[in-house]
Amino acid sequence: MAGLSDATIKVNKTVSGLQTNRRIWFEATSSALSADEQTKQVEQLLELGWSINDVDANNGVSVRLHTSPQVVVGDLLDSSWTDLEYRSSPESFKELVVVPRSSLEAKLGAWPGDVPDLSS
């Protein structure tokens, strides 16, 4: 994806009793300087996570985006993304936003979503 480096994706899996929970985790460094470009990157990563059809991310998708200077990643997403989990401090939490399944479904439709166009 344009403007991202050091990108990784992993599945965080936890088991509680008979319930297995999964969250898709993205981590990347952004060279984008504008909030609009950074927002587009975060939204594309959320769309990509939601489109992975062999892992039902019942605990949602998380994005950790390193920027310089570091922005509060959760503040990049508009109010149509509901129930976001993020903090503006300490410094290490600014870079992380957790988006629950309910918000992904409301914004992107049923899982798995369409694979986003990452060419731009």
PDB file of all heavy atoms in Angstrom, residues 79-96:
ATOM      1  N   SER A  79     -17.062  10.134  12.855  1.00  0.00           N
ATOM      2  CA  SER A  79     -18.052   9.622  13.803  1.00  0.00           C
ATOM      3  C   SER A  79     -18.883   8.459  13.267  1.00  0.00           C
ATOM      4  O   SER A  79     -19.593   7.813  14.032  1.00  0.00           O
ATOM      5  CB  SER A  79     -18.974  10.757  14.256  1.00  0.00           C
ATOM      6  OG  SER A  79     -19.683  11.270  13.139  1.00  0.00           O
ATOM      7  N   SER A  80     -18.791   8.165  11.964  1.00  0.00           N
ATOM      8  CA  SER A  80     -19.537   7.015  11.445  1.00  0.00           C
ATOM      9  C   SER A  80     -18.898   5.691  11.869  1.00  0.00           C
ATOM     10  O   SER A  80     -19.522   4.646  11.753  1.00  0.00           O
ATOM     11  CB  SER A  80     -19.647   7.093   9.916  1.00  0.00           C
ATOM     12  OG  SER A  80     -18.370   6.993   9.321  1.00  0.00           O
ATOM     13  N   TRP A  81     -17.674   5.746  12.376  1.00  0.00           N
ATOM     14  CA  TRP A  81     -17.038   4.567  12.968  1.00  0.00           C
ATOM     15  C   TRP A  81     -17.380   4.606  14.451  1.00  0.00           C
ATOM     16  O   TRP A  81     -16.865   5.448  15.177  1.00  0.00           O
ATOM     17  CB  TRP A  81     -15.521   4.606  12.771  1.00  0.00           C
ATOM     18  CG  TRP A  81     -15.084   4.416  11.358  1.00  0.00           C
ATOM     19  CD1 TRP A  81     -14.832   5.396  10.447  1.00  0.00           C
ATOM     20  CD2 TRP A  81     -14.852   3.176  10.704  1.00  0.00           C
ATOM     21  NE1 TRP A  81     -14.449   4.830   9.267  1.00  0.00           N
ATOM     22  CE2 TRP A  81     -14.448   3.471   9.392  1.00  0.00           C
ATOM     23  CE3 TRP A  81     -14.936   1.845  11.108  1.00  0.00           C
ATOM     24  CZ2 TRP A  81     -14.136   2.476   8.468  1.00  0.00           C
ATOM     25  CZ3 TRP A  81     -14.618   0.860  10.187  1.00  0.00           C
ATOM     26  CH2 TRP A  81     -14.230   1.171   8.884  1.00  0.00           C
ATOM     27  N   THR A  82     -18.230   3.710  14.904  1.00  0.00           N
ATOM     28  CA  THR A  82     -18.727   3.767  16.274  1.00  0.00           C
ATOM     29  C   THR A  82     -17.960   2.834  17.204  1.00  0.00           C
ATOM     30  O   THR A  82     -17.319   1.879  16.759  1.00  0.00           O
ATOM     31  CB  THR A  82     -20.214   3.392  16.313  1.00  0.00           C
ATOM     32  OG1 THR A  82     -20.371   2.079  15.746  1.00  0.00           O
ATOM     33  CG2 THR A  82     -21.051   4.382  15.523  1.00  0.00           C
ATOM     34  N   ASP A  83     -18.037   3.126  18.483  1.00  0.00           N
ATOM     35  CA  ASP A  83     -17.486   2.268  19.540  1.00  0.00           C
ATOM     36  C   ASP A  83     -15.991   1.999  19.409  1.00  0.00           C
ATOM     37  O   ASP A  83     -15.503   0.930  19.778  1.00  0.00           O
ATOM     38  CB  ASP A  83     -18.237   0.931  19.612  1.00  0.00           C
ATOM     39  CG  ASP A  83     -19.718   1.124  19.877  1.00  0.00           C
ATOM     40  OD1 ASP A  83     -20.052   2.027  20.658  1.00  0.00           O
ATOM     41  OD2 ASP A  83     -20.518   0.385  19.290  1.00  0.00           O
ATOM     42  N   LEU A  84     -15.250   2.969  18.876  1.00  0.00           N
ATOM     43  CA  LEU A  84     -13.807   2.820  18.741  1.00  0.00           C
ATOM     44  C   LEU A  84     -13.147   2.801  20.110  1.00  0.00           C
ATOM     45  O   LEU A  84     -13.607   3.463  21.035  1.00  0.00           O
ATOM     46  CB  LEU A  84     -13.220   3.979  17.934  1.00  0.00           C
ATOM     47  CG  LEU A  84     -13.762   4.184  16.528  1.00  0.00           C
ATOM     48  CD1 LEU A  84     -13.103   5.398  15.894  1.00  0.00           C
ATOM     49  CD2 LEU A  84     -13.550   2.946  15.686  1.00  0.00           C
ATOM     50  N   GLU A  85     -12.070   2.070  20.210  1.00  0.00           N
ATOM     51  CA  GLU A  85     -11.293   2.034  21.442  1.00  0.00           C
ATOM     52  C   GLU A  85      -9.914   2.613  21.134  1.00  0.00           C
ATOM     53  O   GLU A  85      -9.167   2.064  20.316  1.00  0.00           O
ATOM     54  CB  GLU A  85     -11.156   0.601  21.942  1.00  0.00           C
ATOM     55  CG  GLU A  85     -12.493  -0.045  22.266  1.00  0.00           C
ATOM     56  CD  GLU A  85     -12.361  -1.517  22.576  1.00  0.00           C
ATOM     57  OE1 GLU A  85     -11.253  -1.958  22.977  1.00  0.00           O
ATOM     58  OE2 GLU A  85     -13.350  -2.232  22.387  1.00  0.00           O
ATOM     59  N   TYR A  86      -9.605   3.759  21.763  1.00  0.00           N
ATOM     60  CA  TYR A  86      -8.288   4.371  21.605  1.00  0.00           C
ATOM     61  C   TYR A  86      -8.095   5.407  22.695  1.00  0.00           C
ATOM     62  O   TYR A  86      -9.045   5.813  23.358  1.00  0.00           O
ATOM     63  CB  TYR A  86      -8.119   5.003  20.218  1.00  0.00           C
ATOM     64  CG  TYR A  86      -8.994   6.197  19.949  1.00  0.00           C
ATOM     65  CD1 TYR A  86      -8.501   7.490  20.123  1.00  0.00           C
ATOM     66  CD2 TYR A  86     -10.306   6.058  19.515  1.00  0.00           C
ATOM     67  CE1 TYR A  86      -9.293   8.599  19.874  1.00  0.00           C
ATOM     68  CE2 TYR A  86     -11.103   7.156  19.266  1.00  0.00           C
ATOM     69  CZ  TYR A  86     -10.595   8.418  19.444  1.00  0.00           C
ATOM     70  OH  TYR A  86     -11.372   9.513  19.194  1.00  0.00           O
ATOM     71  N   ARG A  87      -6.849   5.818  22.859  1.00  0.00           N
ATOM     72  CA  ARG A  87      -6.511   6.831  23.863  1.00  0.00           C
ATOM     73  C   ARG A  87      -5.538   7.832  23.259  1.00  0.00           C
ATOM     74  O   ARG A  87      -4.801   7.510  22.326  1.00  0.00           O
ATOM     75  CB  ARG A  87      -5.849   6.191  25.082  1.00  0.00           C
ATOM     76  CG  ARG A  87      -6.751   5.270  25.845  1.00  0.00           C
ATOM     77  CD  ARG A  87      -6.053   4.809  27.109  1.00  0.00           C
ATOM     78  NE  ARG A  87      -6.565   3.507  27.502  1.00  0.00           N
ATOM     79  CZ  ARG A  87      -5.965   2.706  28.341  1.00  0.00           C
ATOM     80  NH1 ARG A  87      -4.814   3.047  28.875  1.00  0.00           N
ATOM     81  NH2 ARG A  87      -6.495   1.554  28.664  1.00  0.00           N
ATOM     82  N   SER A  88      -5.508   9.008  23.825  1.00  0.00           N
ATOM     83  CA  SER A  88      -4.582  10.028  23.345  1.00  0.00           C
ATOM     84  C   SER A  88      -3.297  10.081  24.175  1.00  0.00           C
ATOM     85  O   SER A  88      -2.379  10.829  23.847  1.00  0.00           O
ATOM     86  CB  SER A  88      -5.258  11.395  23.342  1.00  0.00           C
ATOM     87  OG  SER A  88      -5.711  11.709  24.649  1.00  0.00           O
ATOM     88  N   SER A  89      -3.223   9.309  25.232  1.00  0.00           N
ATOM     89  CA  SER A  89      -1.989   9.235  26.017  1.00  0.00           C
ATOM     90  C   SER A  89      -1.996   7.903  26.759  1.00  0.00           C
ATOM     91  O   SER A  89      -3.047   7.302  26.931  1.00  0.00           O
ATOM     92  CB  SER A  89      -1.897  10.405  27.001  1.00  0.00           C
ATOM     93  OG  SER A  89      -2.921  10.313  27.957  1.00  0.00           O
ATOM     94  N   PRO A  90      -0.885   7.375  27.170  1.00  0.00           N
ATOM     95  CA  PRO A  90       0.451   7.886  26.912  1.00  0.00           C
ATOM     96  C   PRO A  90       0.812   7.763  25.437  1.00  0.00           C
ATOM     97  O   PRO A  90       0.018   7.261  24.631  1.00  0.00           O
ATOM     98  CB  PRO A  90       1.348   7.002  27.776  1.00  0.00           C
ATOM     99  CG  PRO A  90       0.608   5.711  27.893  1.00  0.00           C
ATOM    100  CD  PRO A  90      -0.856   6.098  27.889  1.00  0.00           C
ATOM    101  N   GLU A  91       1.986   8.215  25.103  1.00  0.00           N
ATOM    102  CA  GLU A  91       2.423   8.303  23.704  1.00  0.00           C
ATOM    103  C   GLU A  91       2.208   6.998  22.934  1.00  0.00           C
ATOM    104  O   GLU A  91       1.757   7.023  21.796  1.00  0.00           O
ATOM    105  CB  GLU A  91       3.905   8.704  23.663  1.00  0.00           C
ATOM    106  CG  GLU A  91       4.406   9.087  22.299  1.00  0.00           C
ATOM    107  CD  GLU A  91       3.815  10.381  21.769  1.00  0.00           C
ATOM    108  OE1 GLU A  91       3.404  11.246  22.569  1.00  0.00           O
ATOM    109  OE2 GLU A  91       3.762  10.519  20.538  1.00  0.00           O
ATOM    110  N   SER A  92       2.494   5.864  23.542  1.00  0.00           N
ATOM    111  CA  SER A  92       2.392   4.587  22.828  1.00  0.00           C
ATOM    112  C   SER A  92       0.958   4.212  22.469  1.00  0.00           C
ATOM    113  O   SER A  92       0.743   3.418  21.557  1.00  0.00           O
ATOM    114  CB  SER A  92       3.029   3.467  23.642  1.00  0.00           C
ATOM    115  OG  SER A  92       2.353   3.306  24.868  1.00  0.00           O
ATOM    116  N   PHE A  93      -0.034   4.761  23.161  1.00  0.00           N
ATOM    117  CA  PHE A  93      -1.429   4.450  22.833  1.00  0.00           C
ATOM    118  C   PHE A  93      -1.981   5.323  21.709  1.00  0.00           C
ATOM    119  O   PHE A  93      -2.994   4.983  21.102  1.00  0.00           O
ATOM    120  CB  PHE A  93      -2.329   4.580  24.057  1.00  0.00           C
ATOM    121  CG  PHE A  93      -2.199   3.437  25.021  1.00  0.00           C
ATOM    122  CD1 PHE A  93      -2.167   3.670  26.379  1.00  0.00           C
ATOM    123  CD2 PHE A  93      -2.103   2.131  24.586  1.00  0.00           C
ATOM    124  CE1 PHE A  93      -2.053   2.628  27.281  1.00  0.00           C
ATOM    125  CE2 PHE A  93      -1.984   1.076  25.475  1.00  0.00           C
ATOM    126  CZ  PHE A  93      -1.958   1.322  26.824  1.00  0.00           C
ATOM    127  N   LYS A  94      -1.358   6.450  21.425  1.00  0.00           N
ATOM    128  CA  LYS A  94      -1.831   7.333  20.352  1.00  0.00           C
ATOM    129  C   LYS A  94      -1.895   6.608  19.020  1.00  0.00           C
ATOM    130  O   LYS A  94      -2.744   6.890  18.193  1.00  0.00           O
ATOM    131  CB  LYS A  94      -0.909   8.551  20.205  1.00  0.00           C
ATOM    132  CG  LYS A  94      -0.997   9.541  21.305  1.00  0.00           C
ATOM    133  CD  LYS A  94      -0.060  10.711  21.011  1.00  0.00           C
ATOM    134  CE  LYS A  94      -0.199  11.773  22.068  1.00  0.00           C
ATOM    135  NZ  LYS A  94       0.619  12.952  21.735  1.00  0.00           N
ATOM    136  N   GLU A  95      -0.960   5.692  18.821  1.00  0.00           N
ATOM    137  CA  GLU A  95      -0.808   5.060  17.518  1.00  0.00           C
ATOM    138  C   GLU A  95      -1.768   3.897  17.279  1.00  0.00           C
ATOM    139  O   GLU A  95      -1.765   3.294  16.217  1.00  0.00           O
ATOM    140  CB  GLU A  95       0.640   4.598  17.360  1.00  0.00           C
ATOM    141  CG  GLU A  95       1.067   3.611  18.412  1.00  0.00           C
ATOM    142  CD  GLU A  95       2.569   3.539  18.613  1.00  0.00           C
ATOM    143  OE1 GLU A  95       3.278   4.521  18.379  1.00  0.00           O
ATOM    144  OE2 GLU A  95       3.010   2.453  19.023  1.00  0.00           O
ATOM    145  N   LEU A  96      -2.622   3.563  18.236  1.00  0.00           N
ATOM    146  CA  LEU A  96      -3.463   2.365  18.152  1.00  0.00           C
ATOM    147  C   LEU A  96      -4.950   2.702  18.189  1.00  0.00           C
ATOM    148  O   LEU A  96      -5.391   3.521  18.989  1.00  0.00           O
ATOM    149  CB  LEU A  96      -3.141   1.440  19.333  1.00  0.00           C
ATOM    150  CG  LEU A  96      -3.977   0.177  19.477  1.00  0.00           C
ATOM    151  CD1 LEU A  96      -3.728  -0.768  18.316  1.00  0.00           C
ATOM    152  CD2 LEU A  96      -3.674  -0.511  20.797  1.00  0.00           C
TER     153      LEU A  96
END
